[in-house]
Amino acid sequence: MVLDRSPSLDRVFHALAHPARRAILRRLTEHEQNLSELAAPLKMSFPAASKHVRVLERAKLVRRRVVGRAHVCRIEGEPLAKASDFLESYRKVWDEAFRRLDDVLEEMKTRDESRSRGA
Amino acid sequence: MNKTGAISVTTRGDREIVVTRAFDAPGARAWEAMTTPALIRRWLFLPEGWTMTKCEEDIRVGGSFLWEWAGPDGARAMTLSGVYREVVPGARLSRSEVFDIVGPGRMPEQISTVEFVEQGGKTIVRVTILFPSKEARDGMLASGMEQGMGAGYDRLAAMLAE
């Protein structure tokens, strides 16, 4: 297990740590929306919603473009996919070790059986 | 989960990782394989090209353990060490653990607990790792990660639903 420092992943986890930002992302998985549309159901002011979107932008989870007066937001999948792969890759590390442990246990079984036959 | 070979890795709360796995062996044998240095060396995870240079165990309350690895270039090295807090042979052990990596230095202390539950000749082993903070927990998960995995909206959706 080689430990990496990953500032971009730190930003992803920070961004996901707030329920309002998770709510925004959930809504954006349906389709792109402008800031006012995002703010309304969250009972949030435009500046407050804008601040959350800024955190999501810094984590590269959301991209915002300005169309006339509207700030249109869309979700960016890749950093999230990386974050959700954490458990999977960690699982793989343990899985490989435990498969080797299966073999060790199998050999120990043979050893124990021949011992008990000898006794 | 009781099926031999199936592994479950989950997070619990903000600071824990729980790994559960069933083995086709009685509890005493599983305990021996997981606590005897010569046997640990044979199955423990090892990053590609690394070698385990030390594996020392003094399994009793207050006793310590030391695992040491050397990297392929000879310059990199890493240890995991700590002290046993609870030892119930064949059933349960708990210990403090600190990673110390040449370069980044010492990681914050984590507590690992391993429980062995025997059922009909098989043993369910549950490893619970408690980290000092959410950041430390997530950092450990990130460290097991390989780069370049594909995007997947299905898993993303599951994650956001939490």
Side-chain angles (χ1 to χ4, degrees):
Chain A
M1 235 183 312
V2 182
L3 298 173
D4 293 321
R5 307 302 297 170
S6 178
S8 65
L9 290 168
D10 289 348
R11 280 196 287 271
V12 170
F13 278 114
H14 171 65
L16 292 174
H18 197 288
R21 292 195 285 271
R22 290 198 296 274
I24 289 171
L25 283 174
R26 205 155 35 228
R27 304 258 313 284
L28 290 176
T29 56
E30 293 155 20
H31 53 84
E32 55 178 49
Q33 298 182 44
N34 67 44
L35 255 182
S36 320
E37 289 171 320
L38 285 171
L42 292 169
K43 298 186 174 62
M44 213 180 254
S45 68
F46 184 91
S50 179
K51 212 173 132 187
H52 283 304
V53 166
R54 208 153 45 233
V55 175
L56 292 166
E57 281 182 296
R58 272 202 292 270
K60 296 195 166 61
L61 294 169
V62 166
R63 185 174 291 174
R64 169 181 0 202
R65 67 181 196 279
V66 181
V67 183
R69 291 188 156 196
H71 289 218
V72 182
C73 302
R74 79 180 294 170
I75 192 165
E76 297 284 311
E78 203 180 331
L80 271 171
K82 279 187 180 170
S84 61
D85 279 332
F86 282 3
L87 272 182
E88 174 55 25
S89 54
Y90 191 74
R91 192 190 70 83
K92 223 180 267 174
V93 170
W94 282 90
D95 189 42
E96 283 169 16
F98 282 162
R99 281 176 197 280
R100 286 192 295 272
L101 180 50
D102 283 334
D103 296 340
V104 171
L105 289 167
E106 191 57 38
E107 274 181 42
M108 291 168 76
K109 183 183 176 189
T110 313
R111 177 203 68 183
D112 291 348
E113 282 168 355
S114 66
R115 262 188 206 167
S116 63
R117 269 199 303 275
Chain B
M1 179 37 16
N2 294 355
K3 196 169 153 271
T4 307
I7 189 169
S8 145
V9 179
T10 56
T11 54
R12 187 165 65 193
D14 280 346
R15 300 197 290 137
E16 287 180 300
I17 299 173
V18 182
V19 179
T20 312
R21 169 70 141 78
F23 292 93
D24 189 12
R29 194 180 293 146
W31 172 274
E32 186 187 347
M34 294 184 81
T35 56
T36 308
L39 298 172
I40 293 170
R41 283 172 176 274
R42 294 186 46 200
W43 62 266
L44 194 67
F45 36 69
L46 200 59
E48 180 96 37
W50 286 60
T51 50
M52 192 169 198
T53 44
K54 269 183 198 162
C55 182
E56 298 169 3
E57 294 282 351
D58 179 11
I59 302 186
R60 56 190 170 86
V61 174
S64 56
F65 82 100
L66 169 65
W67 295 350
E68 183 189 80
W69 297 268
D73 49 12
R76 283 185 296 168
M78 172 165 87
T79 61
L80 180 69
S81 62
V83 175
Y84 284 93
R85 304 172 143 209
E86 241 186 293
V87 178
V88 183
R92 182 186 166 90
L93 63 82
S94 180
R95 67 189 193 186
S96 62
E97 296 184 340
V98 174
F99 271 106
D100 195 344
I101 301 157
V102 172
R106 285 168 69 87
M107 304 283 134
E109 183 179 280
Q110 64 199 42
I111 305 293
S112 280
T113 303
V114 187
E115 293 158 286
F116 300 75
V117 178
E118 188 177 321
Q119 277 175 3
K122 299 188 194 313
T123 301
I124 296 165
V125 174
R126 184 166 67 202
V127 182
T128 304
I129 310 167
L130 172 66
F131 294 86
S133 65
K134 182 178 192 314
E135 290 69 28
R137 196 272 310 269
D138 293 342
M140 177 54 75
L141 289 176
S143 76
M145 208 190 78
E146 292 144 8
Q147 295 296 316
M149 298 209 170
Y153 274 92
D154 46 345
R155 261 196 263 157
L156 157 63
M159 191 164 87
L160 293 176
E162 279 169 17

